[in-house]
Amino acid sequence: AAVLNTTDGTPGTLGVLENPFTAASWATSANVNGSVIGGAVHGDLDGQGPTRHAALWTNGAPATLLPVPVGILASEVWAVSGIGDIACGAITEQGMPSEKPKLKGSTGSKGIVWNAGGYTVVEPGVAGADAVDLALTVITDDASHALGSISTTRSNTKGGVYAIASGEFTLLDGGDVNGDGVIDLLDDHDSWTNALSADAAMIGGSIALTPGDELAALWVRDANGAYQQHDFADYLGSIGITGFENWTLRSITGVSADGLAFTGWGLNPLGQTVGWVATVPAPGALSVMGMAALVAVRRRR
């Protein structure tokens, strides 16, 4: 049976996040032990009208508002590092509705990284001149990398990975689709990056080279530090994994810290929408690989 935990990890009743500012709040993320929780509060926090503001709850204490630049009307934490000292998310000078957390797209959003020294704003242009919006959605426990979601001038969604220390953004998509010799945001297709391993060497998500045809994708960092994109079904087959024949793997939604387990969803041979988990051997074990599992758990359509 499932149990609810309090903020100190003790099984018990539901732990309510205290919010002294307003009646509306969202919790969107937590550090490894749940002692630091990120999200946002919504309301008239300064007498100037309702706003959405990024917040942290630490060790069960009331919400603390995070600093943002002047003129920002909406901000939100999307992910918290392992020990909870660094968080990332999105900010915008436009207002955002209060009904739903983690909104993005067409909001003029920018990425942001909060740390003990304040914050660093990550402009959409870090992903390329054709980026319109950017949100930082997932962060590694050591806060070395964050995943980004970009909206483009062509109304595409693109995924990528942001190296926090260097400020370098790496686009992760399906390559030079339009054939102009450059892999950039003008390649007319969509990609999504959803999860990554602890060292950011394995990044899972999906690609839709044609609208509506989303396929699970895996980006693997090579010895030179470059990411190579793989159709996930092809990748599993290349390392000897069986059990997914006649499946359509639509998206990777989770990656374990060691990069050896993946969760996602897709269509089974009967055309039913299901969740799956795939476990792969460590690189050194590939030559002596035994049986690996692809287990499907049926999901309601």
Side-chain angles (χ1 to χ4, degrees), residues 29-81:
S29 53
N31 71 334
V32 293
N33 65 6
S35 62
V36 179
I37 296 172
V41 299
H42 185 276
D44 189 352
L45 308 181
D46 56 7
Q48 303 298 312
T51 58
R52 174 187 297 222
H53 202 107
L56 290 179
W57 290 263
T58 303
N59 294 322
T64 299
L65 300 183
L66 294 177
V68 296
V70 174
I72 294 300
L73 293 182
S75 57
E76 191 162 26
V77 174
W78 283 46
V80 181
S81 66

Coordinates of all heavy atoms in Angstrom, one line a residue, residues 29-81:
S29 N 8.7 20.2 -7.9 CA 10.0 19.4 -7.8 C 10.5 19.3 -6.4 O 10.0 20.0 -5.5 CB 11.0 20.1 -8.7 OG 11.2 21.5 -8.3
A30 N 11.4 18.4 -6.2 CA 12.0 18.2 -4.9 C 13.4 17.7 -5.0 O 13.8 17.1 -6.0 CB 11.2 17.2 -4.1
N31 N 14.2 18.0 -4.0 CA 15.6 17.4 -4.0 C 15.6 15.9 -3.6 O 14.5 15.3 -3.4 CB 16.5 18.2 -3.0 CG 16.2 18.0 -1.6 OD1 15.1 17.7 -1.2 ND2 17.2 18.2 -0.7
V32 N 16.7 15.3 -3.4 CA 16.7 13.8 -3.3 C 16.0 13.3 -2.0 O 15.5 12.2 -2.0 CB 18.2 13.3 -3.3 CG1 18.8 13.5 -4.7 CG2 19.1 13.9 -2.3
N33 N 16.0 14.1 -1.0 CA 15.4 13.6 0.2 C 14.1 14.3 0.6 O 13.5 14.1 1.6 CB 16.3 13.6 1.4 CG 16.7 15.0 1.8 OD1 16.2 16.0 1.3 ND2 17.7 15.1 2.8
G34 N 13.6 15.2 -0.3 CA 12.4 15.9 -0.1 C 12.4 17.0 0.9 O 11.4 17.6 1.3
S35 N 13.6 17.4 1.4 CA 13.7 18.5 2.4 C 13.6 19.8 1.7 O 13.3 20.8 2.4 CB 15.1 18.4 3.1 OG 16.2 18.5 2.2
V36 N 13.9 19.9 0.4 CA 13.7 21.2 -0.3 C 12.8 20.9 -1.5 O 13.0 20.0 -2.3 CB 15.1 21.7 -0.8 CG1 14.8 23.0 -1.6 CG2 16.0 21.9 0.3
I37 N 11.7 21.7 -1.5 CA 10.7 21.5 -2.6 C 10.5 22.8 -3.3 O 10.5 23.9 -2.7 CB 9.4 21.1 -1.9 CG1 9.5 19.8 -1.2 CG2 8.2 21.1 -2.9 CD1 8.3 19.3 -0.4
G38 N 10.5 22.7 -4.6 CA 10.4 23.9 -5.5 C 9.0 24.0 -6.1 O 8.3 23.0 -6.3
G39 N 8.6 25.2 -6.5 CA 7.4 25.5 -7.2 C 7.1 26.9 -7.3 O 8.0 27.7 -7.7
A40 N 5.9 27.3 -7.0 CA 5.5 28.7 -7.2 C 4.3 29.0 -6.3 O 3.5 28.1 -6.0 CB 5.2 29.1 -8.6
V41 N 4.1 30.3 -6.0 CA 2.9 30.8 -5.3 C 2.3 31.8 -6.3 O 2.9 32.4 -7.1 CB 3.2 31.4 -4.0 CG1 3.8 30.3 -3.0 CG2 4.1 32.6 -4.1
H42 N 0.9 32.0 -6.1 CA 0.2 32.9 -7.0 C -0.7 33.8 -6.2 O -1.4 33.3 -5.3 CB -0.6 32.2 -8.0 CG -1.2 33.1 -9.0 ND1 -2.4 33.6 -8.8 CD2 -0.8 33.4 -10.3 CE1 -2.8 34.4 -9.9 NE2 -1.8 34.3 -10.8
G43 N -0.6 35.1 -6.4 CA -1.5 36.1 -5.7 C -1.0 37.5 -5.8 O 0.0 37.7 -6.5
D44 N -1.6 38.4 -5.1 CA -1.2 39.8 -5.1 C -0.1 39.9 -4.0 O -0.4 40.1 -2.8 CB -2.4 40.7 -4.8 CG -2.0 42.2 -5.0 OD1 -0.8 42.4 -5.1 OD2 -2.9 43.0 -5.0
L45 N 1.1 39.7 -4.3 CA 2.2 39.6 -3.4 C 2.8 41.0 -3.0 O 3.4 41.1 -2.0 CB 3.3 38.7 -3.9 CG 2.9 37.3 -4.4 CD1 4.2 36.6 -4.9 CD2 2.2 36.6 -3.3
D46 N 2.5 42.0 -3.8 CA 3.1 43.3 -3.6 C 2.1 44.4 -3.7 O 2.5 45.6 -3.8 CB 4.3 43.5 -4.5 CG 3.9 43.4 -6.0 OD1 2.7 43.3 -6.3 OD2 4.8 43.5 -6.9
G47 N 0.8 44.1 -3.8 CA -0.2 45.2 -3.9 C -0.3 45.7 -5.3 O -1.1 46.7 -5.5
Q48 N 0.4 45.1 -6.3 CA 0.3 45.6 -7.6 C -0.5 44.7 -8.5 O -0.5 44.8 -9.8 CB 1.7 45.7 -8.2 CG 2.6 46.6 -7.4 CD 2.1 48.0 -7.3 OE1 1.8 48.6 -8.4 NE2 2.1 48.6 -6.1
G49 N -1.2 43.7 -8.0 CA -2.0 42.8 -8.8 C -1.4 41.4 -8.7 O -0.3 41.2 -8.2
P50 N -2.2 40.4 -9.1 CA -1.7 39.0 -9.0 C -0.5 38.7 -9.9 O -0.4 39.1 -11.0 CB -3.0 38.2 -9.4 CG -3.7 39.1 -10.3 CD -3.5 40.5 -9.8
T51 N 0.4 37.9 -9.3 CA 1.6 37.4 -10.0 C 1.8 36.0 -9.6 O 1.4 35.5 -8.6 CB 2.8 38.3 -9.7 OG1 3.1 38.3 -8.3 CG2 2.6 39.7 -10.2
R52 N 2.6 35.3 -10.4 CA 3.1 34.0 -10.1 C 4.6 34.1 -9.7 O 5.3 34.7 -10.5 CB 2.9 33.0 -11.2 CG 3.5 31.7 -11.0 CD 3.5 30.8 -12.3 NE 2.1 30.6 -12.7 CZ 1.6 29.4 -13.2 NH1 2.5 28.4 -13.3 NH2 0.4 29.3 -13.5
H53 N 5.0 33.6 -8.6 CA 6.4 33.8 -8.1 C 7.0 32.5 -7.7 O 6.4 31.7 -7.0 CB 6.4 34.8 -7.0 CG 7.7 35.5 -6.8 ND1 8.0 36.8 -7.1 CD2 8.9 35.0 -6.4 CE1 9.2 37.1 -6.9 NE2 9.8 36.0 -6.4
A54 N 8.3 32.3 -8.2 CA 9.0 31.1 -7.8 C 9.3 31.1 -6.3 O 9.5 32.1 -5.7 CB 10.4 31.1 -8.6
A55 N 9.2 29.8 -5.8 CA 9.3 29.7 -4.3 C 10.0 28.4 -4.0 O 9.9 27.4 -4.8 CB 7.9 29.7 -3.6
L56 N 10.6 28.3 -2.8 CA 11.1 27.1 -2.2 C 10.6 26.9 -0.8 O 10.3 27.9 -0.1 CB 12.7 27.2 -2.1 CG 13.5 27.2 -3.4 CD1 15.0 27.3 -3.0 CD2 13.2 25.9 -4.2
W57 N 10.3 25.6 -0.5 CA 10.0 25.2 0.9 C 11.1 24.4 1.4 O 11.5 23.4 0.8 CB 8.7 24.4 0.9 CG 7.4 25.2 0.5 CD1 6.5 25.8 1.4 CD2 6.9 25.5 -0.8 NE1 5.5 26.4 0.7 CE2 5.7 26.2 -0.6 CE3 7.3 25.2 -2.1 CZ2 4.9 26.6 -1.7 CZ3 6.6 25.6 -3.1 CH2 5.4 26.3 -2.9
T58 N 11.7 24.8 2.5 CA 12.9 24.1 3.0 C 12.6 23.6 4.4 O 12.2 24.3 5.3 CB 14.1 25.0 3.1 OG1 14.3 25.5 1.7 CG2 15.3 24.3 3.5
N59 N 12.8 22.3 4.6 CA 12.6 21.6 5.9 C 11.3 21.9 6.6 O 11.2 22.1 7.8 CB 13.8 22.0 6.9 CG 15.1 21.5 6.4 OD1 15.2 20.4 5.9 ND2 16.1 22.3 6.6
G60 N 10.3 22.0 5.7 CA 8.9 22.2 6.2 C 8.6 23.6 6.6 O 7.5 23.8 7.1
A61 N 9.5 24.5 6.4 CA 9.2 25.9 6.7 C 8.3 26.6 5.7 O 8.1 26.0 4.6 CB 10.6 26.7 6.8
P62 N 7.7 27.7 6.0 CA 6.9 28.4 5.0 C 7.6 28.7 3.7 O 8.9 28.8 3.7 CB 6.4 29.7 5.7 CG 6.5 29.3 7.2 CD 7.7 28.4 7.3
A63 N 6.9 29.0 2.6 CA 7.5 29.3 1.3 C 8.4 30.5 1.4 O 8.1 31.5 2.1 CB 6.4 29.5 0.3
T64 N 9.5 30.4 0.7 CA 10.4 31.6 0.6 C 10.5 32.0 -0.9 O 10.7 31.1 -1.8 CB 11.9 31.2 1.0 OG1 11.9 30.8 2.4 CG2 12.8 32.4 0.8
L65 N 10.2 33.2 -1.2 CA 10.2 33.7 -2.6 C 11.6 33.8 -3.1 O 12.5 34.4 -2.4 CB 9.5 35.0 -2.7 CG 8.0 35.1 -2.3 CD1 7.4 36.4 -2.5 CD2 7.2 34.0 -3.0
L66 N 11.9 33.4 -4.3 CA 13.2 33.5 -4.9 C 13.3 34.8 -5.7 O 12.4 35.4 -6.2 CB 13.5 32.3 -5.9 CG 13.5 31.0 -5.2 CD1 13.7 29.9 -6.3 CD2 14.7 30.9 -4.2
P67 N 14.5 35.4 -5.7 CA 14.7 36.7 -6.4 C 14.6 36.6 -7.9 O 14.9 35.6 -8.5 CB 16.2 37.1 -6.0 CG 16.8 35.8 -5.8 CD 15.8 34.9 -5.2
V68 N 14.0 37.6 -8.5 CA 13.8 37.7 -10.0 C 14.2 39.1 -10.4 O 14.1 40.0 -9.6 CB 12.4 37.3 -10.4 CG1 12.1 35.8 -10.1 CG2 11.4 38.2 -9.8
P69 N 14.5 39.3 -11.7 CA 14.7 40.6 -12.2 C 13.5 41.5 -12.1 O 12.4 41.0 -12.1 CB 15.1 40.4 -13.7 CG 15.6 38.9 -13.7 CD 14.7 38.2 -12.7
V70 N 13.7 42.8 -12.1 CA 12.7 43.8 -12.1 C 11.8 43.6 -13.4 O 12.4 43.4 -14.5 CB 13.2 45.2 -12.0 CG1 12.1 46.3 -12.2 CG2 14.0 45.4 -10.7
G71 N 10.5 43.7 -13.3 CA 9.6 43.6 -14.4 C 9.1 42.2 -14.7 O 8.3 42.0 -15.6
I72 N 9.6 41.2 -14.0 CA 9.1 39.9 -14.2 C 7.8 39.7 -13.5 O 7.6 39.9 -12.3 CB 10.1 38.8 -13.6 CG1 11.4 38.9 -14.5 CG2 9.6 37.4 -13.6 CD1 11.2 38.6 -15.9
L73 N 6.8 39.3 -14.3 CA 5.4 39.1 -13.7 C 5.1 37.6 -13.4 O 4.1 37.3 -12.7 CB 4.4 39.6 -14.7 CG 4.4 41.1 -14.9 CD1 3.2 41.5 -15.9 CD2 4.2 41.8 -13.6
A74 N 6.0 36.7 -13.9 CA 5.7 35.3 -13.6 C 7.1 34.6 -13.5 O 7.9 34.8 -14.4 CB 4.8 34.6 -14.6
S75 N 7.2 33.7 -12.5 CA 8.4 32.9 -12.4 C 8.1 31.6 -11.7 O 7.0 31.5 -11.0 CB 9.5 33.6 -11.6 OG 9.0 34.0 -10.3
E76 N 8.9 30.6 -12.0 CA 8.5 29.3 -11.4 C 9.7 28.4 -11.4 O 10.5 28.3 -12.3 CB 7.4 28.6 -12.3 CG 6.8 27.4 -11.7 CD 5.4 27.1 -12.3 OE1 5.3 27.5 -13.5 OE2 4.6 26.5 -11.7
V77 N 9.9 27.6 -10.3 CA 10.9 26.6 -10.2 C 10.4 25.4 -10.9 O 9.3 24.9 -10.7 CB 11.2 26.3 -8.7 CG1 12.2 25.1 -8.6 CG2 11.8 27.5 -8.0
W78 N 11.2 24.8 -11.8 CA 10.9 23.5 -12.4 C 11.7 22.4 -11.9 O 11.2 21.2 -12.0 CB 11.1 23.7 -13.9 CG 10.1 24.5 -14.6 CD1 9.5 25.6 -14.3 CD2 9.4 24.1 -15.9 NE1 8.6 26.0 -15.2 CE2 8.5 25.1 -16.2 CE3 9.6 23.0 -16.8 CZ2 7.7 25.1 -17.3 CZ3 8.8 23.0 -17.9 CH2 7.8 24.0 -18.2
A79 N 12.9 22.6 -11.4 CA 13.7 21.5 -10.9 C 14.6 22.0 -9.8 O 15.0 23.1 -9.8 CB 14.5 20.8 -12.0
V80 N 15.0 21.1 -8.9 CA 15.9 21.4 -7.8 C 17.0 20.4 -7.7 O 16.8 19.2 -8.0 CB 15.1 21.3 -6.4 CG1 16.0 21.6 -5.3 CG2 13.9 22.2 -6.4
S81 N 18.2 20.8 -7.4 CA 19.4 20.0 -7.4 C 19.3 19.0 -6.2 O 18.4 19.1 -5.4 CB 20.7 20.8 -7.3 OG 20.7 21.5 -6.0

